[in-house]
Amino acid sequence: MSRRAAFRAGLVLLVPLLLFVLLAYGIPFFGVVEWSVTEPTFGFTQYVRLTQDPLVLSVFVRTFRICAVVTVCAVVGAYAIAYLWVRGTPLQRNIAEFCILVPFWISVLTRAFGWLALLSSRGLINTWLQSIGFVSEPLTLVRNEFGVIVGMTHFLLPYAVFPIASAMRNLDDRVLMAARGLGARRSRVFWTVFVPMTASGVLGAALIVFVFALGFFVTPAILGGGRSVMIAELVYLRMFQSIDWGLGAAMSVALLLIVGLLAALMFRFLKPAGLVR
Amino acid sequence: MSKRGAAASLTVRGVSKRFGSFSALNDISLDIARGEFLTLLGPSGSGKTTLLLILAGFEAPTEGRLLSDDRDITELPAETRSYGMVFQGYALFPHMSVESNIAFPLQVRHTAPAEIKRRVGEMIERVGLRGHEKKLPAKLSGGQQQRVALARALVFEPGVLLLDEPFSALDKNLREQMQAEVKRLHQETGTTFVFVTHDQSEALALSTRVAIFDHGRLQQIGRPDEVYERPENRFVAEFLGEINLLPLQDLRVESGVASGMFEDRRLTVPAEAANGAGAILAIRPEHLGIAANTPAPQSGNAIRAALDDVVYQGGITRLKLRTAGGAPITLSLASGQAASLLQSGGPFWIHWPTDQGRLLPAPKS
Ligand SMILES: Nc1ncnc2c1ncn2[C@@H]1O[C@H](COP(=O)(O)OP(=O)(O)OP(=O)(O)O)[C@@H](O)[C@H]1O
Ligand SMILES: [Mg+2]
């Protein structure tokens, strides 16, 4: 088969996928865009409101703050777990694999309620802390940003493990040996060779977690207890409680644009550094 | 751990390495002299890399000791031994420029920045990488990457440089060029080089001594001409280039000369290696002479053979012949000589002086 024929055959195979993307995402998305400029009247008034409504702005700021903290926590945790998974002893590998895979079998709702049970003022952690006399009053661990961050980090951490572990697997052992052979101690090898050589995995993981986190709904709704509202929840509230379709749609579009912009920026800056293909 | 610039000696004493029940190295003992260029030669899987990794400190021997300058270094970790090492596939740091790769071992040693700059510059000059200092390894050709690996391994002036098949990925011309360069670097630095290859001509061309391995055992160690001209067993004889093997019957030893029957002729060999009952006469193709149809030469050995095939190889021509009993004989001849000889068509007399042959013990069966 010539190159061109192969290319054409590839296109034919891609058609069903493209059709699916168009039907499942493209058309609904344009519907949302349409609402954002026609509800209740034609024009960009909803977008102007976005930049002026203090509630909307504060929710955007909070969302980004939470997502940033969650990304850092999830990626750091995932790095440690991926390290054990890829480079640990056989026992450590098994334990790590178990810890990575089990969360996928438990629904997001169950996990959120699990955290609620653990973190609430009469939950396990507070009861224990009080019983050992560490605190006298229960700590507020949930229905605030802290609870949301804990729940989201826990949910997203396994997703961050895969790109990091894959970068670690691709790393040639001989390069680490070379570094040691040239006189570097283990910590030096880790920081000057191992970490930089797995940076692509870390950045990939960070991008996945951050983008995923931006649209989170269930976890913040349950663990934030209405006090730590994020964008997705606000969109829901605007659409289904205030029946403010236009503003909800405008927020959705803005969120999507921000995500797209972030992804583009990341690729733009990572490509010259040879960190993404 | 050696002083800067001082070549170290290495002693391997009874080293074995087992992976589970598999024995990768079997009771290896050898001495590597200060400033020597020793090549570990053997087929794939013979344990060359394993021995090199043990020398470097990346693998611990299951049994045996290692000494360097008479100090026991068996327990010393790789980062403390700190021998220069060039890995199969180079193992450069892909995220660092050429310059930073070469500076790495000096930075690890907390060398002063000005000194680092001077020595890295010197090394870049020496391996001919001027103009490529800022490039990442991925942007370099195979030969250039090889040079970076050499520079990085030599810049801190280690007592020993270990090289694991450094040229296996290069094409023939580049390979020869790099071989010359490594030879020059060895002479200039005076460092002890331990070089691994499975290419026999490379081993013979570069080394002061060659150690030949098979199945985790040291088969023979000696100067290139020693191992080539006086192989101690059939494996070594066959591994180091082409050789004719003629099984002898009815072996006798008289006044320093052994003789035995090959087909219908009695052939003679120097008796030094005549041990054991059966034996094989080994003779290299370039030591054989050939004559057309004349009566058998009077001195030395001669056997009669018919021509099977002629392989023209430029300067030399290889003749493939067959004896009456069907034993194959290969001999090489200057091409000019071959042309006139082949006019006659044969059969031919193959002849050689007694002292060019070599008696090998018969293979254990
Ligand atoms: N870590 C290991 N675990 C198990 N077996 C191993 C290990 N390392 C090497 N071996 C085995 O030991 C034997 C010798 O391996 P080694 O890599 O030393 O061979 P080599 O002579 O360098 O071969 P090549 O020319 O192919 O590089 C091989 O059979 C190999 O499979
Ligand atoms: Mg090898």
Side-chain angles (χ1 to χ4, degrees), chain B residues 96-124:
Chain B
M96 296 185 198
S97 67
V98 166
E99 219 170 34
S100 321
N101 262 281
I102 301 175
F104 184 86
L106 299 176
Q107 274 159 354
V108 166
R109 285 169 177 72
H110 305 291
T111 310
E115 173 77 357
I116 293 184
K117 200 164 151 43
R118 189 182 65 74
R119 279 165 70 181
V120 169
E122 205 178 278
M123 211 61 220
I124 282 177

Side-chain angles (χ1 to χ4, degrees), chain A residues 121-140:
Chain A
S121 55
R122 264 164 297 154
L124 248 98
I125 291 179
N126 270 316
T127 319
W128 178 70
L129 286 178
Q130 280 171 299
S131 75
I132 61 165
F134 191 73
V135 292
S136 50
E137 290 295 302
L139 298 172
T140 325

